[in-house]
Structures are given as structure tokens and as C-alpha cells.
Amino acid sequence: MWRVARSLFRPAVVRLDVGRRYCVERPSVNTSFVPLHRPVMAEETVRFLEPQSNQIFIDMTFGAGGHTRALLEAAPSATIIALDRDPQAHQLACEMAKEFPGRIVPALGRFSELPTLLRSLVRYDRQRFYDGIIFDFGCSSMQFDEAARGFSIAHDGPLDMRMDKDRCPEQLSAAEVLARIQEQDLARILKVYGEEKQAKKIARAIVNARFSVKRIETTAELASIVGHCLSQVSEPTGGAFDFRQDKLRRPAHVATKTFQALRIFVNNELNEINYGMVLAKHLLRTGGKLVTIAFHSLEDTIVKRHLTGHVIADLASKVPLQYISQTLAYTTDTMQEVMKPNWRQINKHVVVPTDAEIGANPRSRSAKLRAAIRLGS
């Protein structure tokens, strides 16, 4: 069950009725608070999507609805299907739908559940092609800021990390994963999903703590184990635990990559992203616009591979196709034949937030926006 070494990059082959079979809607969600959420690069998103009257868009990651609101305000008669796998975000979409009657269609589910959800929407079941799709990958500020969700090192809470909360009873929490997983599989997850150089050392420390002390059940316990494990290889800062610098040379807790890897594994994020990009190719009309916002290299690489045509059997290749086999000599003409991208990128390079936006919303610092136009088959 836990032999995951060969399945980390397995294509998301999902039957269309999976969501309806195993996941159930749970409407009792606490929405008594107003989430503090700033959509990342909302102005750039609207500029690239160019919303027009009577167009239909899909917001694949509704969150707190910042991008949806910006699109609706830019095109007063546009309609948006608001998808999110988080029941709390779905409830917020239902509340916003009252503010924009007839223009927001809330949908609860993952990317891989979208085909089933669209069929359940009578009006949009006949809508084959859409005008624009937006992805804002990763966790939302709401998830990070709520200690009970278990996503953040900064807030002590149960080690959960499930974006779906308890909507899918068979989905394991991060605590349940750490209670069952073997050391070599955990090391593989930390290395691939977290890009953690000390993956083996951390995996050994977690498994030893599980057997010799107690089951790891809170974010503080996991951060403590990783912090003590890596204290001799990190730079002291005088805090409770040592910190190190990330790729942007920002101070980051030594357990940050471990938390990222577990979150990605628990939620099957990379396979869902790959599946979402495949759906975008099939759902967008010719000339339809796609905007993606990624926050780390694993997400952005999958998007980049799809946009540039480095895709094999609908799965983003881990390496560029010209390096896929040393036995084949690719010429320029051959590569153009092998790589037939379904997209034309609007911006040659990624778009990053402005200094003003970073100052107002520091969490946007690592964001990378890509925009593309769907080409004809």
C-alpha cells in the first residue's frame, strides 16, 4: 500500500464517477468569519483573460473568491463556474453567488471530479467549450491561517493537511500517513515532493520518534522533530528552532520542505494539477485563455511542460522530450512533429508580482503567472 516510489509521478487516471462514489458534501461549515485574503496578481489575471460580456469562465481554485470577483467586476454579464475542493471555500462561493445572482455557479470537488460535476449542472452540461480558465495552485491563506487545518508551522494544531477536510472519508490525514508509512517511502516523498536534501535523515528521525516516543499528531511535534534533527546543519537565528534560507534567500523554518512534501502527498496535488491541465485543453474553446499561478517549481514545471508540448500520454514529462532517449537523434523538424503544443503562450517568460504587491501581500513573493491561448486541434 505504501510502496510509492514508482507512483509519485503516475498519471491521474480517474474514473468520472470517483468523486460521487467516495466523496460526500458536508454543508455544515463554519463561515462566521470574513477571511483575510488577497488574490495574487488579480489585475494581471484580468488583463490576460480579457473577460467579455456573456462569456463563461471556470475558476478551478475559488478559494476566497478574489479572482472570481475581479473577473465579474471587469465583465458585468460574465458567468463563472467556481470550483474548489475545500468545503469552506465552497460555502464562501455559495455566499458570493447571492451577491452576484445567476453569475456564479458553485461546485465542490477536485479537478478530477470536474467532469462529473459539469454533467450534474443541467445548464452547463451542454456547454462544451469555455472562454477562460484560471488556476491558483497551492494552499490559500485561509487554510494556512487556521490552526485546525494543520498546514502551517506557525500555528500549532492537529496534523491534518487535507484540503477536502472530512469530505472524503477514505482520505488519510498527514498524521495517519506518518503513523503507517515506511521509512524509505517517506524519504522518497520528502526528496521528490519537498526537494529536501536531508530527506533520509528526517525520515529516519520521524520513524524513530514514532516507535520510541509516540505517534506524531500535531504540527508542533513534527516541526520539533525536524528542527532537532537538522539543528546541526542549519544556521542558528536565536529562535526556538533553527532556520535556513529558501530559493529566494528568505528565512524559512527547517521543517518547511517537510510540511510541503506531506501536504502535496496527502492531497495528491501534482497528479491533480496534471489532470487539471489536461482538462483545460479539452474544455477551452479555440482561442480561449488560460492563466495559471504557481508558487513553487514542482507546480510550475508541470504547467510549463503542458504549455510547451512536453507531454506523453497526457502526462507532463519529467524532462524535456529532446532528452527523453539517448538513442534518438532529434532534428528541429522532428521535434516540431513530436511536440505539438496545444497552446500559444501569451507571455514568453513568467510574470511575477510587483514590488508594491509584495509589500502589501508578502505571501505573493514566490508566485509565477503563466498565460496561454488554446490553439485549434
Side-chain angles (χ1 to χ4, degrees), residues 115-188:
T116 301
L117 293 172
L118 289 177
R119 287 202 301 271
S120 68
L121 302 173
V122 178
R123 173 184 174 186
Y124 299 97
D125 182 35
R126 303 173 183 176
Q127 178 76 27
R128 184 175 180 183
F129 298 116
Y130 298 85
D131 300 289
I133 291 178
I134 177 175
F135 291 94
D136 185 3
F137 300 121
C139 288
S140 68
S141 297
M142 298 183 300
Q143 293 167 333
F144 275 121
D145 292 338
E146 187 178 350
R149 304 298 299 272
F151 287 100
S152 176
I153 301 174
H155 306 286
D156 186 20
L159 195 60
D160 193 331
M161 296 192 183
R162 293 174 299 170
M163 292 180 177
D164 302 273
K165 298 189 78 170
D166 58 349
R167 185 176 67 92
C168 302
E170 293 191 354
Q171 184 182 10
L172 298 179
S173 67
E176 291 171 323
V177 170
L178 293 183
R180 305 183 186 187
I181 196 169
Q182 297 181 12
E183 179 181 329
Q184 58 183 345
D185 293 333
L186 178 57
R188 175 69 171 162

Side-chain angles (χ1 to χ4, degrees), residues 298-356:
L298 296 177
E299 298 169 344
D300 187 57
T301 296
I302 294 176
V303 173
K304 182 170 58 176
R305 293 286 186 256
H306 277 275
L307 295 185
T308 55
H310 294 274
V311 179
I312 301 176
D314 282 340
L315 179 65
S317 174
K318 289 184 288 185
V319 296
L321 290 186
Q322 59 261 44
Y323 307 122
I324 202 77
S325 174
Q326 62 181 3
T327 63
L328 299 177
Y330 289 112
T331 64
T332 301
D333 294 338
T334 305
M335 284 306 301
Q336 290 177 351
E337 183 65 24
V338 173
M339 297 165 49
K340 292 182 177 179
N342 299 102
W343 308 95
R344 176 174 64 82
Q345 297 190 65
I346 300 175
N347 52 313
K348 182 177 181 181
H349 303 289
V350 294
V351 177
V352 297
T354 62
D355 293 338

Side-chain angles (χ1 to χ4, degrees), residues 234-254:
S234 56
E235 298 180 0
T237 60
F241 298 108
D242 293 341
F243 288 73
R244 60 186 176 189
Q245 292 182 333
D246 62 10
K247 291 182 178 180
L248 298 179
R249 305 191 67 81
R250 300 172 300 179
H253 194 286
V254 292

Side-chain angles (χ1 to χ4, degrees), residues 12 85 110-112 267-276:
R85 64 190 295 178
R110 308 169 184 174
F111 302 156
S112 53
N267 297 286
N268 195 27
E269 290 183 42
L270 298 189
N271 280 327
E272 285 291 325
I273 291 174
N274 183 80
Y275 193 88

Side-chain angles (χ1 to χ4, degrees), residues 205-217:
I206 291 175
V207 172
N208 289 341
R210 181 180 72 192
F211 284 114
S212 61
V213 184
K214 63 182 291 289
R215 171 172 167 166
I216 304 171
E217 295 181 335

